[in-house]
Amino acid sequence: MTAYHTILPEQVTTWVRAGRTTQFPVGAGATIKVGDRQIAVFYFHRTDRWYACQNLCPHKLENVLGRGLTGEQDGVPKVACPLHKRTFSLETGANLNGDCPPLAVYPVTIRDGEVFVGIDD
Ligand code: FES
């Protein structure tokens, strides 16, 4: 199984093109494949911010987070797994309502209307 780990902006060695900004749903997620990894990408219209995390929910190891509901908790952007509603911070990956391991999160940048996700390989 692929090992996921959080990538900090200073650790990025490759920016992977994920698609045009207009291809992503507002207030919901979309999933891209990067090698054998699945990465969920989210756009928060209200704050005009983008986030990316592993698509794999650490609770039951299902690739579903890209289909999760997004929202905010105390100002923290979050995604709720569609299966059992564990919620995770999209800033840190921390599980906000349980004791699941944290998600890997990835930097996202926008250039010329294209979405890029930062990885380290
Ligand atoms: S598989 Fe995601 S909360 Fe259970």
Side-chain angles (χ1 to χ4, degrees):
M1 176 171 294
T2 300
Y4 288 92
H5 58 280
T6 286
I7 305 296
L8 301 174
E10 60 269 26
Q11 296 172 315
V12 172
T13 58
T14 304
W15 290 99
V16 177
R17 182 185 174 278
R20 295 201 60 76
T21 55
T22 51
Q23 293 176 297
F24 287 82
V26 173
T31 303
I32 63 168
K33 278 202 79 172
V34 180
D36 58 356
R37 278 179 285 200
Q38 294 187 26
I39 296 178
V41 179
F42 301 93
Y43 175 56
F44 279 56
H45 181 260
R46 192 179 69 76
T47 54
D48 194 28
R49 298 285 305 270
W50 292 80
Y51 302 94
C53 67
Q54 67 184 54
N55 192 38
L56 187 72
C57 180
H59 179 225
K60 296 289 186 186
L61 303 181
E62 300 282 350
N63 276 306
V64 292
L65 291 175
R67 292 191 279 116
L69 280 180
T70 56
E72 287 185 17
Q73 182 172 322
D74 299 327
V76 175
K78 66 177 184 177
V79 60
C81 177
L83 294 186
H84 312 105
K85 308 303 182 222
R86 300 293 198 281
T87 62
F88 299 89
S89 164
L90 288 170
E91 290 181 340
T92 66
N95 182 199
L96 300 173
N97 65 347
D99 56 3
C100 284
L103 304 178
V105 294
Y106 304 89
V108 180
T109 192
I110 308 299
R111 293 186 207 135
D112 298 327
E114 306 269 358
V115 182
F116 292 86
V117 175
I119 62 171
D120 67 347
D121 56 17

